[in-house]
């Protein structure tokens, strides 16, 4: 297990300008920290929480532009550890148009990397972490009052609810007003 220096990670994110980047009505840094805190409140392992803290550094499909280049992967890996960086990359490289329609149809999911076009079958552990990051990202934004079409997120959550524990489901029910328990 990698030793993660959270203060160094926060400093890295600040140096990337996340405190100055507006995401809806607040800073990207506020959203990243909120995502991490939500994952911690669900008792996720530290490497998943720090992946939540850094989930947008490679950009996201359709919303956030990259803050670092793919050539910076070794630097991020050294900072947050191999497991967390791999989760951050998987989150950032997700080609949502190719991957999302497959969610809810079991764990044999064909992943498409939007940066390279590479396709592969993603492992169950990787998929589980990706889904947790997806839930935390969306729920943090919704809880912060971000405007959006939460019905699409609710549908995505219904498809993937079997992949998360009771705490994320309870949070989603409270924030989105949809029962995800069963």
């Amino acid at each position: 297990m990698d030793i993660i220096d959270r203060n160094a990670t926060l400093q890295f994110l600040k140096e990337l300008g996340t405190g100055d980047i507006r995401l809806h009505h607040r800073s990207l840094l506020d959203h990243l920290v909120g995502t991490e805190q939500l994952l911690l409140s669900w008792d996720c392992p530290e490497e998943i929480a720090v992946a939540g803290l850094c989930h947008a550094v490679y950009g996201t499909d359709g919303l956030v532009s990259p803050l670092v280049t793919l050539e910076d992967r070794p630097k991020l890996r050294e900072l947050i550890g191999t497991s967390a960086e791999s989760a951050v990359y998987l989150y950032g490289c997700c080609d949502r148009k190719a991957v999302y329609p497959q969610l809810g149809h079991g764990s044999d999911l064909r992943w498409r990397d939007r940066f390279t076009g590479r396709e592969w079958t993603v492992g169950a552990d990787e998929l589980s972490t990706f889904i947790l990051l997806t839930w935390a990202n969306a729920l943090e934004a919704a809880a912060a009052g971000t405007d959006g079409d939460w019905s699409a997120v609710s549908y995505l959550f219904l498809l993937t609810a079997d992949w998360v524990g009771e705490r994320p489901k309870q949070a989603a029910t409270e924030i989105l007003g949809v029962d995800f328990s069963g």
Side-chain angles (χ1 to χ4, degrees):
M1 175 179 239
D2 296 303
I3 296 173
I4 300 165
D5 183 341
R6 185 178 184 277
N7 290 332
T9 304
L10 278 172
Q11 185 59 37
F12 172 74
L13 292 170
K14 289 175 184 176
E15 289 170 4
L16 293 175
T18 57
D20 298 322
I21 297 170
R22 303 310 295 167
L23 184 65
H24 309 294
H25 61 280
R26 62 204 173 121
S27 74
L28 176 57
L29 183 61
D30 290 338
H31 168 66
L32 296 173
V33 169
T35 302
E36 174 202 33
Q37 294 304 306
L38 194 53
L39 289 160
L40 288 170
S41 78
W42 298 342
D43 291 330
C44 290
E46 182 184 25
E47 62 268 11
I48 292 177
V50 80
L53 179 62
C54 297
H55 74 272
V57 299
Y58 296 124
T60 57
D61 190 4
L63 187 58
V64 178
S65 297
L67 304 174
V68 298
T69 67
L70 297 182
E71 288 76 30
D72 293 319
R73 285 190 74 187
K75 179 179 179 180
L76 186 62
R77 192 175 302 124
E78 183 177 319
L79 183 65
I80 67 172
T82 301
S83 178
E85 189 280 331
S86 293
V88 171
Y89 182 81
L90 191 71
Y91 187 84
C93 83
C94 178
D95 181 337
R96 293 178 182 184
K97 288 180 181 159
V99 172
Y100 277 23
Q102 300 176 69
L103 293 172
H105 301 287
S107 63
D108 201 20
L109 191 136
R110 194 83 183 135
W111 201 265
R112 186 169 197 289
D113 184 323
R114 70 185 179 98
F115 302 130
T116 67
R118 181 175 155 251
E119 293 187 10
W120 71 97
T121 300
V122 70
D125 288 344
E126 292 173 301
L127 181 58
S128 177
T129 298
F130 172 80
I131 291 170
L132 276 170
L133 292 176
T134 300
W135 278 56
N137 170 62
L139 289 174
E140 195 288 327
T146 301
D147 294 331
D149 179 7
W150 299 110
S151 62
V153 170
S154 294
Y155 179 69
L156 178 65
F157 284 10
L158 288 169
L159 291 175
T160 58
D162 289 343
W163 288 90
V164 301
E166 288 307 311
R167 286 187 178 179
K169 290 176 190 176
Q170 182 180 7
T173 298
E174 292 169 8
I175 294 168
L176 299 176
V178 176
D179 184 6
F180 295 98
S181 63

